[in-house]
Amino acid sequence: MLNAVDAELSRLARSAPSFAPVRMGRIVSCDGGLIEVSGLNAPIGTLCRAEAGGDEPAPAAEVVGFRSGRSLMMLLGDTVRLQPGALVRAEGHPGVVKVGEEFLGRAVDGQGLPIDGGPPVKARNSWLLGGRRESALERSSVIEPFDCGVRAINALATMGIGQRLGVIAGSGVGKSVLLDTMVRGADCDIAVVGLIGERAREVSDFVGRHMRGEARRRTVVVAVPSDHAANLRLRGAQLATSFAEYFRAQGKRVLLVLDSLTRVAHASREIALSLGEAGAARGYPPSALAAITKLIERAGNSASSGGSITGLYSVLADGDDQSDPVVDTARAILDGHIVLSREIAQRGHYPAIDIPASLSRVMSDVAAPDHLRHAATLRGLIAAHEANRDFLLMGVYQTGADPQLDRAMALQGPIQDFLRQEAGHTAALDASVDALTRLMGDGAK
Ligand SMILES: Nc1ncnc2c1ncn2[C@@H]1O[C@H](COP(=O)(O)OP(=O)(O)OP(=O)(O)O)[C@@H](O)[C@H]1O
Ligand SMILES: [Mg+2]
């Protein structure tokens, strides 16, 4: 007993006395991942730590709301070991995260803690997790082409620097592989990749592939796999966007990839429903859709710094349903979408881009007139061939009835070769446009 008192006294002697009030509360209820804490009035967004038995680190929680004088918090980990009446302390600044060059070459979780086995990241700069609200005029327009490293997109749905593009498809059609190729091939200064709600295996594969050699120095990965708490997944997406905003403010051309936006929407839906908000479209409360709109709006060009965030967001069309609320919201707010088709993937054609259904809304502003003309011609040929595919397979089409279809049939082999691209192989913008010109140019038949 005396030993214990001695130890406690020497611990107190070592620590500098602090007369600042310590803010603490007590857990009064725990319902799933949501806990109610009385006696602690911390602002929304504050990170807190709950006391728990054992030697394991105390579970963290984030204040997400308040009701009848009590704070509502979401746990960032498991509820195991949490007990009624446990003390909860507020920690850190609400809604502020560390950002900076120190994160380049690192893979971190939704709290910015390393998951790559490396030392803790000691970053000095702070940034608002939710971003700063900027005036609409701060977003300069998209006028320069962006080289994404994928031939079919570079040639037929050319992206622009500062554009926000969605990759929409059902599960297993090739979204992640396409985004992976784009991270490898894109012409940018910094690549920030948010892997949110994906499989843990995919996260380690991605880190293994991209965190090597030259590419490592320009890449940051924020990964929150699907088994993590909903608000950690949302935080992961916000943290990745904050990293991108920081580098944009340094005048850098940033590529921000979020795989997947749908999983971020699922996380916001989980949070909103547990806070008692009513579900609307397909169970998505309005705030869940507003959260992804806000995330997307943070990407774009900055007039003041000259930097840019080109955003790529994968969107899962559940059951290949294109009228899903997340698909709808993303389509409405994004500056273009690439639709991947299961039918094309089943033919073994990758990337399985459904060219007639895909669109880049900025292409006419960033591509040269000749390029636009050739792209329109090729899109027309592909659409004609796809629309008449069944007739052609049945052999009922008479050559000569439709000159456009005749040309599409004659060029089918070279067109398919042009659209195919192996995973991991990249095609630069100039080379893609040259290949398009050779295929469609005046010399071609
Ligand atoms: N370019 C490609 N070349 C060859 N195979 C590909 C290519 N793209 C995708 N695939 C095949 O499709 C499979 C699924 O791809 P991917 O994981 O990218 O799908 P996804 O749309 O991200 O799925 P989920 O919605 O489940 O995350 C891959 O494992 C691979 O076999
Ligand atoms: Mg995927």
Side-chain angles (χ1 to χ4, degrees):
M1 179 68 194
L2 271 179
N3 282 350
V5 173
D6 259 2
E8 188 60 12
L9 283 175
S10 47
R11 190 184 66 77
L12 286 175
R14 276 198 308 276
S15 56
S18 162
F19 301 103
V22 180
R23 301 208 287 170
M24 282 192 295
R26 282 190 187 278
I27 297 183
V28 288
S29 85
C30 171
D31 181 4
L34 191 73
I35 54 177
E36 265 185 58
V37 175
S38 72
L40 177 65
N41 294 335
I44 290 182
T46 309
L47 269 190
C48 299
R49 230 163 250 287
E51 228 170 43
D55 300 332
E56 300 281 316
E62 180 187 357
V63 182
V64 289
F66 39 83
R67 187 183 298 145
S68 324
R70 288 174 177 169
S71 300
L72 302 173
M73 303 185 188
M74 280 210 101
L75 274 182
L76 300 180
D78 259 339
T79 47
V80 182
R81 293 185 300 118
L82 218 58
Q83 53 189 33
L87 285 176
V88 179
R89 289 167 210 274
E91 276 192 350
H93 299 290
V96 177
V97 286
K98 291 286 177 206
V99 293
E101 283 73 13
E102 295 83 352
F103 284 96
L104 291 175
R106 303 300 305 269
V108 296
D109 67 7
Q111 296 182 75
L113 303 173
I115 55 166
D116 52 7
V121 186
K122 294 205 169 63
R124 286 181 307 278
N125 298 299
S126 300
W127 203 263
L128 283 179
L129 187 61
R132 297 197 176 97
R133 193 171 289 282
E134 283 166 336
S135 94
L137 295 183
E138 159 63 14
R139 288 271 172 280
S140 49
S141 32
V142 178
I143 42 169
E144 272 183 77
F146 178 80
D147 182 354
C148 73
V150 176
R151 187 165 46 245
I153 301 178
N154 274 344
L156 300 177
T158 314
M159 293 177 64
I161 292 179
Q163 181 181 16
R164 291 94 35 98
L165 189 83
V167 175
I168 304 177
S171 67
V173 185
K175 295 181 296 298
S176 301
V177 175
L178 182 65
L179 291 178
D180 194 296
T181 308
M182 286 159 108
V183 172
R184 185 185 302 270
D187 177 20
C188 61
D189 301 325
I190 305 281
V192 180
V193 183
L195 300 175
I196 311 298
E198 294 293 290
R199 302 160 194 87
R201 171 187 57 79
E202 284 183 301
V203 172
S204 55
D205 283 358
F206 187 93
V207 172
R209 267 198 313 278
H210 289 267
M211 292 312 214
R212 286 183 294 175
E214 260 314 283
R216 184 187 170 138
R217 275 196 269 152
R218 65 165 200 178
T219 314
V220 190
V221 174
V222 180
V224 189
S226 49
D227 56 341
H228 284 52
N231 50 340
L232 258 187
R233 280 178 272 147
L234 181 60
R235 271 184 96 88
Q238 291 173 326
L239 181 63
T241 311
S242 297
F243 283 151
E245 281 178 333
Y246 167 79
F247 290 116
R248 173 176 65 189
Q250 314 297 310
K252 299 273 198 291
R253 277 176 313 146
V254 182
L255 172 69
L256 170 66
V257 173
L258 266 192
D259 190 9
S260 87
L261 190 67
T262 305
R263 308 261 185 240
V264 179
H266 286 176
S268 328
R269 174 171 66 181
E270 227 172 297
I271 297 170
L273 290 178
S274 64
L275 281 174
E277 201 178 322
R282 291 246 183 133
Y284 285 101
S287 73
L289 298 175
I292 57 169
T293 307
K294 198 164 167 226
L295 262 185
I296 297 172
E297 272 300 319
R298 289 170 64 181
N301 288 327
S302 160
S304 54
S305 75
S308 62
I309 301 177
T310 308
L312 285 173
Y313 302 88
S314 77
V315 183
L316 178 72
D318 272 331
D320 289 317
D321 175 8
Q322 301 278 336
S323 61
D324 177 87
V326 182
V327 176
D328 261 359
T329 310
R331 246 185 227 274
I333 188 111
L334 290 166
D335 315 310
H337 47 264
I338 301 295
V339 177
L340 304 183
S341 138
R342 192 175 297 280
E343 201 195 326
I344 298 177
Q346 279 165 351
R347 283 184 225 149
H349 178 118
Y350 288 107
I353 303 175
D354 182 349
I355 301 285
S358 303
L359 158 90
S360 163
R361 297 189 193 194
V362 303
M363 183 171 177
S364 54
D365 300 325
V366 299
D370 274 350
H371 175 184
L372 284 173
R373 192 163 50 82
H374 292 322
T377 315
L378 181 52
R379 288 178 74 103
L381 294 183
I382 295 169
H385 196 270
E386 282 295 316
N388 294 293
R389 207 181 152 74
D390 292 345
F391 279 129
L392 297 176
L393 288 176
M394 283 189 283
V396 291
Y397 174 69
Q398 302 259 316
T399 313
D402 177 354
Q404 191 187 32
L405 193 51
D406 290 342
R407 191 174 176 207
M409 282 166 65
L411 285 175
Q412 205 38 225
I415 290 178
Q416 294 299 320
D417 290 344
F418 175 81
L419 297 177
R420 280 203 166 98
Q421 189 169 324
E422 268 181 55
H425 287 220
T426 60
L429 180 62
D430 292 349
S432 309
V433 177
D434 286 350
L436 173 69
T437 313
R438 277 199 302 280
L439 190 63
M440 291 290 100
D442 305 325
K445 57 173 175 162

